[in-house]
Every structure is written in C-alpha cells, then in structure tokens.
Amino acid sequence: MTGFLALCETHLSREESEILCGWTVLVPVSLDEEIWLPIESSDYHSMVAGAPQVLPLAGKLATFIALPPETPATCDNLDLSTWFRHQAEEPTTTRPGPWSKDLDTAFYVALFLRADQHSIRRGCPIVCS
C-alpha cells in the first residue's frame, strides 16, 4: 500500500487522497461532502463517501499508470487478486508501462477503481473494515 499512497500524494491533492483512501463505507450515490460517523470509540470515526465522487480520483490514477485493459473490469470473488498474482506478468512484457513497474501499486489502483465501479454498477454500498 506504500506505493499506492505515494502515488496518491504525487498525483492527487491532500483532500482528494483523503477521500480516495479514507472511506470506510462507499455508497453508490452522490454526496455533497463526505459524512463522518462516530463508531464504538470517540477516537475513531468512519467516513462515508459517494462512489461517483471517488471514481474520478481512482480513474485519474489508473490513467496515470496506464492500467491495461486486460485488468478484470467486473470482478467476482477473487478475480482481481488472482489476475495480479498469476496473469499480470504476461502483459508486463507485451504492454509495459508505469503500471508494470510496481504491480502492488497497480493492484491497489485497480482495487479502488473496481470497488467504485462495482458500487455504482450494482447500486450497493461497500464496507471496508
């Protein structure tokens, strides 16, 4: 995740990075601003973010690293993890680019991008705990 956070710091504003990386609940509707909810402890708050606001941020990173079209677009179960673990090395030779230099970072870019797309496509919230 270190490479992903560094990529966010380089290509997104601090506010954009906090929105992309800070949500614990992603909802498929537009929100005027993030919603902060206290949970269990006064020391910890949970951020609810709207996928339509988060999607362009993840898309910006995907464009920057030139995430290849072979990356699974709709994922069931562990498709994205499986692709990065077993199949991503083939496109690194046929389609080199910034994405292929750090597969861990590319995985997190794809993970956040696909989570946003999934939430919107299926009309469902996603909870990260």
Side-chain angles (χ1 to χ4, degrees):
M1 187 90 178
T2 303
F4 176 72
L5 294 174
L7 185 69
C8 289
E9 288 177 10
T10 304
H11 298 285
L12 301 175
S13 71
R14 180 183 164 116
E15 181 180 294
E16 290 173 328
S17 292
E18 287 175 1
I19 292 168
L20 176 63
C21 301
W23 60 265
T24 49
V25 180
L26 188 66
V27 294
V29 296
S30 291
L31 300 175
D32 292 333
E33 60 185 39
E34 306 80 52
I35 300 169
W36 292 91
L37 303 171
I39 49 174
E40 293 190 27
S41 159
S42 61
D43 298 333
Y44 182 71
H45 288 78
S46 178
M47 182 189 20
V48 179
Q53 286 75 36
V54 177
L55 182 60
L57 304 175
K60 187 185 220 182
L61 296 180
T63 299
F64 177 78
I65 67 166
L67 194 66
E70 295 89 348
T71 307
T74 56
C75 304
D76 292 322
N77 206 359
L78 296 172
D79 291 348
L80 192 61
S81 297
T82 301
W83 188 83
F84 270 95
R85 177 171 249 172
H86 300 291
Q87 297 167 321
E89 289 189 19
E90 182 181 327
T92 62
T93 58
T94 60
R95 194 185 303 275
W99 80 277
S100 65
K101 294 179 180 145
D102 184 350
L103 291 180
D104 290 339
T105 296
F107 169 76
Y108 283 105
V109 169
L111 182 67
F112 278 81
L113 178 67
R114 299 309 185 223
D116 297 326
Q117 292 169 334
H118 179 84
S119 177
I120 293 168
R121 183 177 56 254
R122 298 259 174 114
C124 66
I126 295 176
V127 177
C128 180
S129 56

